[in-house]
Amino acid sequence: MEAGGQDSAIVKCDAVVKTYQQGAIQVPALRGISLSIARGEFVSLAGASGSGKTTLLNMIGGLDRFGSGEVWVEGAPLSRMNNSELADLRLSKIGFVFQAYNLIPVLSARENVEFIMQLQGVAQAERRDLSRQILARVGLAGMEQRLPAELSGGQQQRVAVARALVSHPAIILADEPTANLDSKNSLELLTMMAELNLESGTTLIVATHDPQVIDFTRRKLVIKDGTVAEDY
Amino acid sequence: MGSLSLIFPLAWRNLWRNRRRSLLTMLAIFVAVYSMVTMGAFMRAWSRAAVVETINNLTGHGQIHAPGYLDDPNVDHRISHLPSGVAEILTRPPVSHFARRVRVPAMIRTERESAPVELLGIEPEREQGLSFIPHAVVDGHYFVSADERGILLGEQLAKRLQTRLGRRLVLMSQGADGGIEERGLRIVGIFSSQPDIEKYSVFITLPQAQALLQIGDDFSELVYRLADEQDSGVTAARLAQQAGELEVRAWDELQPFTKALMEMSEGSIWIWILVSFALVSFGLINTLLVAVFERMREFGLLQALGMKPRWLLLQLLIESGLMLGLATLSGLLAGMATVQGFDDGLYLGVGASYFGAAQVVYPRLDWTELRLIGISVMLMGLLASLYPAFKAARQVPVEVLARATN
């Protein structure tokens, strides 16, 4: 589908099907989803647990393989990429924020933020400078040397957001980023993400079932039984 | 590779993440390497001591006999003259010493007891540097002249015969004409040696033995010693070419038990090394597999963040390499220190004599073996680490990340 690489969509899915094998039973997770997300959008993939929203997020991030259909990220079809090329795509274009276990336990907050830049080959001085700035931006100035175990859940998510943003990826994929946070921390994190979306124009796609998060996003895609039930 | 600056510190910190597990694995590798070094050095020292003891006792590096003597060592099988080619080889390097001996079965009798013995007629001067006997006399004296009339007895034989230094005894043996010859001799020296030699060997001078047996200048065996034991096979072969019908044997043919002991010792070392390798490998595979399973989510995260599978593989191999390197180096150093600590010898006790070895052994480091152990443990360990590392690298990130959050 040529259109995938030629229109303004940063993410495009066409009839994406994903089925999981659980023993002898085949469980359909995505039943031919098609959608298009434009550059700079702040989108929520809303839906109940098991609806397929996280599966869809993983397909877009190249973390998993789909059975049929196609996903394009910045015009590049993911089905034709091998694991190494998918790792390159994630490194250069996509930032991730997961629900939990976001940080590398043996690295400090600053080193976690610098991790992707280091993989990208950014010079040390520049890495230090950028990581200091972004950690200050997410309210963690003075906590650069702390290990993840020495940070609260909210602080860990801020480090994860800082890491996702610091290399200016085209897309940030967040999977239930507020699931383990209290309402105050959730609100702070969402406000910060919304501000960064406006400032940098980064496309934000958030899988969530939290109404507070859904309200924060400008576009809502409701996923139900592996299909897009609503788009508003 | 630029990513090494990222992967190496990550591997180092992960190594100490579960400090106790890493230290236990390193301890297992350390013990294996340490035991390989020390066992190798001590076992070789032991078998080496047995060889040296054998050569020093009466065997030398080789012997020449009349045909049939080795099967039936009696007075009928004796050497009358040496071929000139043999004599020429014996006077040049690598031969350092040689001597003629009469060596026949005999009986010895005191006023109280009698005992079967092996009679050795020796050239006292030539035995210096060739065998143990010039330095083994603990009571009395060694022969002071080539034809001194006297006899040397082992401590145990003297005890058995209920005799002592200065007493007389009667030595009997079959002479060249088939009759029994006998001679009264005074005990001039009591010697201490290996139990078998102390119990069954008696020494008189060669002229005395030749006179007793009435064999003129004939002798039973010619014993030689070399500057370097490595030349024993070649020298025996050269002598055999010149010896005509005489039989030439290197020490390892004359003492197959010692040779077998040496081979068994070498075999034991290699079996131990193989067992140690297996222990290291299984220990490492187990530790890494547990570590990999524990850290699956982390590997998923690393891959989600853009770390390529081959970098993950490299990270785990570096972790394993660091663990192996530290433990192997420590094991080698500790093993070397232990072996060096016994530089002045390790006393094994009197019991060692019963196994043909010296009571004191001198373990030595073999640098080739140390290098071999170090490199082999590292290679085997890394090879064993490949499976867990591949398992981690081939993990699909979503299987460990998304499954828990969907």
Side-chain angles (χ1 to χ4, degrees):
Chain A
M1 185 173 169
E2 284 299 314
Q6 290 174 354
D7 59 24
S8 63
I10 194 164
V11 173
K12 196 167 175 71
C13 300
D14 180 50
V16 176
V17 172
K18 174 69 181 177
T19 306
Y20 289 111
Q21 192 78 32
Q22 288 185 345
I25 303 164
Q26 289 203 322
V27 181
L30 301 178
R31 301 167 191 256
I33 277 192
S34 297
L35 57 84
S36 178
I37 295 172
R39 193 177 297 276
E41 275 196 287
F42 189 177
V43 184
S44 60
L45 303 177
S49 181
S51 60
K53 57 186 186 298
T54 296
T55 304
L56 178 58
L57 204 70
N58 291 332
M59 299 302 153
I60 295 169
L63 293 175
D64 202 358
R65 299 279 185 181
F66 36 87
S68 63
E70 187 58 277
V71 176
W72 289 266
V73 173
E74 287 216 310
L78 303 194
S79 66
R80 294 178 200 172
M81 293 184 183
N82 62 29
N83 288 342
S84 188
E85 288 167 336
L86 285 173
D88 274 340
L89 175 86
R90 292 193 291 269
L91 182 61
S92 59
K93 298 190 188 305
I94 303 172
F96 284 94
V97 180
F98 298 105
Q99 176 181 335
Y101 208 85
N102 257 312
L103 305 179
I104 301 158
V106 293
L107 300 182
S108 68
R110 176 180 62 71
E111 289 167 331
N112 262 288
V113 171
E114 285 185 21
F115 183 80
I116 290 172
M117 288 190 285
Q118 214 167 342
L119 285 177
Q120 289 170 335
V122 177
Q124 188 181 22
E126 190 183 348
R127 290 201 310 262
R128 290 286 146 90
D129 197 37
L130 288 171
S131 63
R132 195 179 305 113
Q133 284 177 32
I134 196 79
L135 282 169
R137 175 76 182 79
V138 298
L140 293 174
M143 298 186 183
E144 292 90 347
Q145 299 306 322
R146 289 197 188 178
L147 291 172
E150 298 164 339
L151 296 169
S152 70
Q155 288 167 335
Q156 287 186 34
Q157 285 301 71
R158 284 161 189 256
V159 175
V161 171
R163 183 184 58 200
L165 287 167
V166 74
S167 57
H168 301 293
I171 310 163
I172 288 179
L173 302 176
D175 186 12
E176 303 279 11
T178 60
N180 292 326
L181 303 181
D182 57 29
S183 57
K184 178 178 170 288
N185 271 310
S186 295
L187 192 61
E188 280 179 14
L189 188 76
L190 288 167
T191 308
M192 188 177 72
M193 289 174 78
E195 284 173 5
L196 291 168
N197 168 246
L198 286 173
E199 285 170 17
S200 62
T202 302
T203 306
L204 278 169
I205 305 172
V206 184
T208 184
H209 65 275
D210 183 348
Q212 189 184 15
V213 179
I214 296 166
D215 285 346
F216 249 88
T217 59
R218 290 198 294 280
R219 182 180 172 195
K220 287 93 175 158
L221 290 167
V222 179
I223 312 296
K224 190 177 179 185
D225 296 332
T227 58
V228 179
E230 287 180 74
D231 182 354
Y232 59 99
Chain B
M1 192 178 179
S3 53
L4 260 184
S5 62
L6 168 70
I7 292 171
F8 195 87
L10 206 56
W12 176 254
R13 289 189 204 179
N14 275 315
L15 184 62
W16 302 112
R17 195 157 147 193
N18 193 325
R19 195 178 297 260
R20 187 165 57 179
R21 187 171 58 208
S22 294
L23 284 174
L24 277 173
T25 307
M26 287 165 74
L27 182 68
I29 300 168
F30 169 88
V31 169
V33 172
Y34 177 81
S35 66
M36 284 186 221
V37 174
T38 50
M39 277 276 289
F42 284 103
M43 290 283 281
R44 283 213 177 83
W46 190 68
S47 67
R48 179 80 211 131
V51 171
V52 169
E53 195 78 353
T54 298
I55 289 166
N56 279 348
N57 280 342
L58 292 167
T59 309
H61 284 120
Q63 296 178 358
I64 302 171
H65 301 98
Y69 175 84
L70 288 172
D71 295 328
D72 183 11
N74 67 39
V75 71
D76 295 334
H77 300 122
R78 56 186 194 268
I79 300 170
S80 297
H81 75 280
L82 284 173
S84 58
V86 171
E88 198 178 320
I89 292 171
L90 290 172
T91 53
R92 290 183 181 171
V95 177
S96 60
H97 301 80
F98 70 91
R100 296 169 300 161
R101 289 179 189 153
V102 162
R103 194 167 182 174
V104 292
M107 278 292 290
I108 203 163
R109 196 178 70 225
T110 64
E111 64 272 29
R112 290 197 177 91
E113 295 286 343
S114 62
V117 294
E118 182 179 56
L119 168 65
L120 284 111
I122 59 172
E123 298 178 276
E125 274 298 313
R126 286 193 168 275
E127 288 290 334
Q128 298 280 359
L130 181 62
S131 73
F132 76 100
I133 191 65
H135 311 287
V137 176
V138 291
D139 194 11
H141 66 267
Y142 182 58
F143 299 123
V144 292
S145 65
D147 58 351
E148 183 176 348
R149 194 183 167 93
I151 188 166
L152 303 178
L153 250 62
E155 281 182 311
Q156 292 194 42
L157 183 60
K159 196 173 173 183
R160 181 179 164 194
L161 294 171
Q162 298 180 46
T163 187
R164 62 176 187 273
L165 184 72
R167 301 291 287 270
R168 288 182 68 83
L169 49 69
V170 176
L171 184 64
M172 292 183 295
S173 187
Q174 181 188 312
D177 61 359
I180 296 296
E181 306 295 337
E182 63 175 50
R183 179 164 294 194
L185 293 164
R186 191 175 298 280
I187 300 167
V188 296
I190 304 286
F191 67 85
S192 170
S193 179
Q194 277 191 2
D196 279 356
I197 295 176
E198 267 192 34
K199 280 181 196 164
Y200 300 111
S201 299
V202 298
F203 295 83
I204 62 174
T205 60
L206 181 64
Q208 293 294 326
Q210 287 168 332
L212 171 70
L213 303 177
Q214 298 173 353
I215 55 173
D217 287 336
D218 291 0
F219 52 95
S220 307
E221 69 183 21
L222 186 135
V223 187
Y224 60 88
R225 188 159 181 151
L226 308 173
D228 187 346
E229 183 208 314
Q230 302 296 322
D231 296 324
S232 66
V234 177
T235 306
R238 283 179 59 212
L239 283 167
Q241 279 179 346
Q242 303 292 329
E245 63 175 4
L246 298 180
E247 291 176 347
V248 182
R249 296 282 187 274
W251 72 267
D252 52 353
E253 294 174 275
L254 294 163
Q255 300 288 348
F257 175 74
T258 308
K259 168 92 170 165
L261 189 77
M262 205 171 153
E263 286 170 352
M264 189 187 77
S265 165
E266 197 66 26
S268 308
I269 293 168
W270 284 107
I271 287 169
W272 179 253
I273 286 176
L274 283 177
V275 169
S276 300
F277 274 148
L279 287 174
V280 167
S281 303
F282 287 127
L284 206 64
I285 289 175
N286 181 53
T287 302
L288 286 177
L289 272 179
V290 172
V292 162
F293 281 122
E294 268 183 14
R295 289 160 57 195
M296 273 302 179
R297 299 195 70 188
E298 182 185 323
F299 297 141
L301 174 68
L302 290 170
Q303 290 196 56
L305 295 177
M307 187 181 253
K308 292 184 180 181
R310 63 172 181 270
W311 294 352
L312 204 55
L313 180 81
L314 188 65
Q315 184 195 319
L316 278 164
L317 287 180
I318 291 174
E319 275 185 50
S320 174
L322 285 169
M323 190 149 54
L324 280 162
L326 284 171
T328 304
L329 190 65
S330 312
L332 285 175
L333 289 175
M336 285 162 66
T338 305
V339 173
Q340 290 287 73
F342 288 100
D343 205 33
D344 295 334
L346 171 67
Y347 180 66
L348 295 179
V350 183
S353 306
Y354 290 95
F355 297 97
Q359 293 180 24
V360 180
V361 297
Y362 297 90
R364 292 284 177 269
L365 291 168
D366 181 338
W367 294 101
T368 308
E369 189 175 285
L370 288 179
R371 274 197 294 272
L372 189 72
I373 289 172
I375 292 168
S376 308
V377 169
M378 288 296 293
L379 285 179
M380 291 284 288
L382 287 174
L383 205 64
S385 311
L386 275 175
Y387 170 64
F390 267 119
K391 204 166 174 57
R394 293 183 65 180
Q395 188 69 30
V396 180
V398 73
E399 284 180 6
V400 285
L401 281 170
R403 195 182 297 154
T405 54
N406 195 9

